[in-house]
Amino acid sequence: MPSSRSTRALAVALLAVLLGALLPAATAQAASRTVQGGRLDWGIKASFQSYVTGPIANGSWSLTGGAATVGGSQFRFHSATGSYDPDTGAFSSAFSGGVHFTGHKKADGSNELDLTISRPTIRISGGSGMLHADMVSKERGTGKVSSRSQVPLARLGLGGINMKGGSTPVALTNVPTTLTAEGASAFAGYYTEGTPLDPVSLSVDTKGPAAQPKPTAPDEKKDEGEKKDKDKAEKDKEKAGRFEDAAVDWGVRRTFREYVTGSIGQGKWTLADGAQDGGALFRFPQGKGTYDAKKETLDAEFSGSIRFTGAHDLDLKFAAVTVAVAKGEGTLSADVTSEGKTTKDVPIVTFEAEDFAPKNGLAALTEVPAALTAEGSKAFGSMYKAGTAMDPVSLAVAVDDKAELPALPDLGSEPTAAAEPTKKAAEEPSAAPAAASSDSGPGAGTWAAVGGGALLVLGAVAAFFVLRRRSAQPAPEAGADAAAPDSPQTS
């Protein structure tokens, strides 16, 4: 029969083994993750949108910085950056893009209502959250313009949402928001503190800490640098007048996209041949041609095509996009296919190109105004007149092999399972913000292992006391029915 001392030693050893296996899984949760792309969908306030564009304000809104519209009344902000700690649930993510509202036009051409909301940021910590944003607005009555950075604009209603333990993507859906006092002031006094705003939805991708790069010996770096400089000089000689890469971004026209996918057009668009969808714009990449830095001229052709189809025999395709820049003006042309007939090299829009000199190896134009040509008007079946303002054009030409083209808006992965807000906090923790599995991130499987390990530890503790009690009691006589150590004793 084992002694009390040996029994206790056995139980302690068992506990040590189990805890040793369990603790690494638990401590692995503490590593903070980097937010590396995603989107935020927020309509700000639907009734405000209606007021701005209605008969009273008689105004409009426009998108900036690559923001887009989804579902008709929501604005999509893109390219999330920030951090997320699965252990504490702390979350911080900034998004790109903005919305500019104008209305109540005055006799001098200015607008009494002039409000821009951009760069929204979500910050969550300790069960509470806030939406911050950059805001530029005119005060009602006085017209005084104020510009404020990262105003705490709206409180998030996070009741019942457990932000701990998510992996990637981290997603929240229809989180209620209410206007803060600071937000009411920055909102030019159109609403008071506590006013409900539109709910917020977001989905962001996350990644674990990056591995440290292997250090390179100083001599190796020097030799490598000299070799690169030599190769670059040779390439420059071989490619005089040519460029490394280029892309042109153009959204065609926002209202046309909304018409195509709306209740009248009932259609869609399809990208092919390498064209990319950037949310509020389309990218035609892989530019080839010639660029003269001194004259600031460009003659380039790009890959990609886009086709719009829908009701009422809508079928319009743009392909073989080209861009020519000379004397401060640019022209975007394309092969146009409509009603089964293709017309080659149709000039669609013209745009401003005043400053097209390279800076740090990149010649770029960002969201420059574009106007429809007479030929472009015919391509649209005279839906728009010549001179109509179309979506702005962005153009980037890399004249140096080290220069990188601007990134498209990063919308992240589609959310797989989002945490839904509840009216009041549940007695048990709600589902984690994201249920997608990740090799490097803490997922449901990890927490299940932690729970199972805890049960094993409790079992080991129970076994220890069972063995201790058993060793302290006399052994039952042979033939007698011995009660289980922890079961109720019979009289």
Side-chain angles (χ1 to χ4, degrees), residues 80-167:
T81 58
S83 62
Y84 169 58
D85 188 339
D87 193 37
T88 64
F91 176 85
S92 177
S93 183
F95 301 82
S96 298
V99 188
H100 183 197
F101 298 94
T102 57
H104 293 300
K105 189 176 289 292
K106 298 193 291 187
D108 61 2
S110 64
N111 293 286
E112 183 179 347
L113 187 160
D114 197 327
L115 170 68
T116 300
I117 299 175
S118 61
R119 286 202 318 126
T121 300
I122 298 292
R123 296 191 179 105
I124 297 173
S125 179
S128 62
M130 186 75 71
L131 186 153
H132 300 249
D134 292 353
M135 299 186 70
V136 179
S137 61
K138 275 186 179 180
E139 190 175 277
R140 294 178 70 184
T142 67
K144 180 181 178 182
V145 177
S146 64
S147 179
R148 311 182 195 186
S149 177
Q150 292 302 291
V151 176
L153 175 57
R155 290 185 180 85
L156 305 181
L158 295 172
I161 294 179
N162 177 15
M163 289 294 292
K164 295 182 181 180
S167 54

Side-chain angles (χ1 to χ4, degrees), residues 262-461:
S263 58
I264 299 176
Q266 301 176 27
K268 63 179 181 178
W269 59 74
T270 305
L271 299 175
D273 307 317
Q276 300 168 314
D277 195 335
L281 50 84
F282 308 109
R283 169 162 290 185
F284 301 94
Q286 301 172 356
K288 296 179 181 179
T290 57
Y291 169 74
D292 189 320
K294 291 182 179 179
K295 296 180 180 179
E296 299 183 19
T297 59
L298 174 74
D299 187 1
E301 57 185 28
F302 300 85
S303 299
S305 64
I306 182 167
R307 183 182 180 186
F308 298 93
T309 55
H312 312 293
D313 300 321
L314 171 64
D315 194 340
L316 177 63
K317 180 180 178 181
F318 297 108
V321 172
T322 63
V323 172
V325 175
K327 298 180 180 180
E329 184 177 83
T331 301
L332 184 151
S333 304
D335 291 354
V336 177
T337 302
S338 180
E339 298 180 352
K341 180 183 177 182
T342 299
T343 306
K344 298 283 188 178
D345 200 25
V346 178
I348 307 297
V349 295
T350 57
F351 56 89
E352 299 174 5
E354 290 295 335
D355 184 8
F356 196 42
K359 296 178 180 64
N360 299 320
L362 192 70
L365 299 171
T366 304
E367 296 187 7
V368 292
L372 192 65
T373 65
E375 296 88 344
S377 175
K378 292 179 182 178
F380 279 96
S382 299
M383 180 183 293
Y384 305 109
K385 295 180 180 179
T388 298
M390 304 299 282
D391 272 11
V393 170
S394 292
L395 178 64
V397 179
V399 298
D400 188 323
D401 58 2
K402 294 180 181 178
E404 294 185 1
L405 300 180
L408 268 177
D410 189 342
L411 303 180
S413 302
E414 289 296 329
T416 53
E420 295 280 358
T422 57
K423 293 182 179 179
K424 61 180 181 179
E427 293 180 0
E428 296 181 0
S430 63
S437 61
S438 172
D439 293 337
S440 59
T446 308
W447 290 110
V450 171
L455 290 174
L456 287 173
V457 171
L458 291 174
V461 173

